Amino acid sequence: MAEASHAAPRIIHFADHTGQAITDHITRAALAHPLITTVSDTIVTDLITFPDPDLCVGAEVMHRVSGKRQSLYATRGVLLASGGLGGIYEHSTNPAGFNALGSSVGLAKRANAKTKDLEYVQFHPTALCLPREARFLLTEALRGEGAILRDATGRAFAKDFHPDGELAPRDVVARGVYHESQKGSSDKEHNVYLDITHRDADWLRTRFPSINAHLRSKQLNITKDMLPVIPAAHYTCGGIETDLDGRTSLAGLYSAGEAARTGLHGGNRLASTSLLEGLVYGAAVAEHVGSSEESEYISNKIRTIVDSPTLHRLSQDEAWWNSRAERYYVNGEAKATRLAAMELLAKLRRIMWNHVGLVRTPSGLQKAMDGLEAIRGEATFMFEQSPTVETAGLRDAAHAGKAVAQAAHANRVSAGTHYIVEDNTTDIANSHYGNDVDSDESSSDDDEEVIVMAAYGR
């Protein structure tokens, strides 16, 4: 199958849910492997770099339900494969939950591991746009199979922006969709649709069973209806900087998958190529950790630290944390803080969408950095006072968001997914889906409610 910017049809797929099929298979294999121990219902809150700040010896984790903390030590090293940061944007194709909130970047930043190319956040051109609903990915494969982008009058507009039309590079298509979305006569009038009704109805239902089922649940028909779409944050091309073995700037810490900045995708990832960073670099890390002399040296150094009495202080900290967690969770004192964290996350997402989105300006990015720094300080305080999944996620999102804004502000050259224009440019930089570029308010109260409630998959 052909997809955008690919020179030839070369995509192998499993209906329209290839990722799910691969994930399910690998998960079953991991759960059945005798040398793999899984720790369920648990999130990572920080990397352990004590007593040597230049060496990662493990991770601090927290149970989602009880709030209890535990320090896990890893004598062979720690691998961060905790996904990207698409969830810190108001519109995102990433599933609701903790891992899309930039936890990998947040963990790396707090441990002083280097990140790179964070300004290159890819926006998918076609996410289903329904009021009071989380955004749903309408796969690139639809356009690969002939779907047409149309405005509200039915006019096909994709070739206004590129000769390849719907199969142009993603950043071009996304900005084209973004531009057309501004032409509605009011904030409530949608102006961009994806149309594949010209294909055979039975074939469509067979080729895209998951999308067909989702659309039917929303009273839409893939064989008859034009589908309302907007761009949405989709994939993080940058991340934690690694070498070819997955090593980071912090000894004992490795990274793979979307969490890593491998350089494979450059500034504009091709469709259906995310497996490169997961499978290729996952295998590279395993080979390095299992066979290299350098890895053995680091492993012996970590083992010496883990077996030493210097970690007694961390045990004391853990006991203090767990007593605090018990008080908050058992007595219900964390409920108000949870709600406040979710509301602050909604504000953070609006800032990212309005100022660090598809089209960026220097002044908008500066405003974003100021606002995100204020949120980061408040989020850190909230997490220290009330350690919950919500406050942990907010803290990570604030660290990640500010890092993306800083990287974008420092790079004044538009390339790939990073598109920056001068202030007061009278083009598609002027507004963001009906929002004033200087406003951090949600486009509607209804949308804000959905954003808050979807923040952690609730």
Side-chain angles (χ1 to χ4, degrees), residues 187-203:
D187 292 351
K188 301 297 183 181
E189 180 181 331
H190 201 81
N191 195 53
V192 183
Y193 296 84
L194 192 65
D195 177 18
I196 197 168
T197 57
H198 54 284
R199 296 299 303 265
D200 177 75
D202 290 336
W203 177 86

Side-chain angles (χ1 to χ4, degrees), residues 45 82 112 123 177:
T45 59
S82 45
N112 293 318
F123 293 83
V177 172

Side-chain angles (χ1 to χ4, degrees), residues 52-66:
D52 184 348
D54 296 321
L55 179 66
C56 181
V57 299
E60 296 178 1
V61 302
M62 182 175 68
H63 194 271
R64 286 177 175 269
V65 179
S66 68

Side-chain angles (χ1 to χ4, degrees), residues 210-231:
S210 299
I211 293 175
N212 179 56
H214 181 83
L215 293 175
R216 289 183 61 187
S217 73
K218 306 302 177 184
Q219 289 72 55
L220 289 171
N221 189 332
I222 192 174
T223 69
K224 296 180 179 180
D225 296 325
M226 293 203 306
L227 309 174
V229 295
I230 60 169

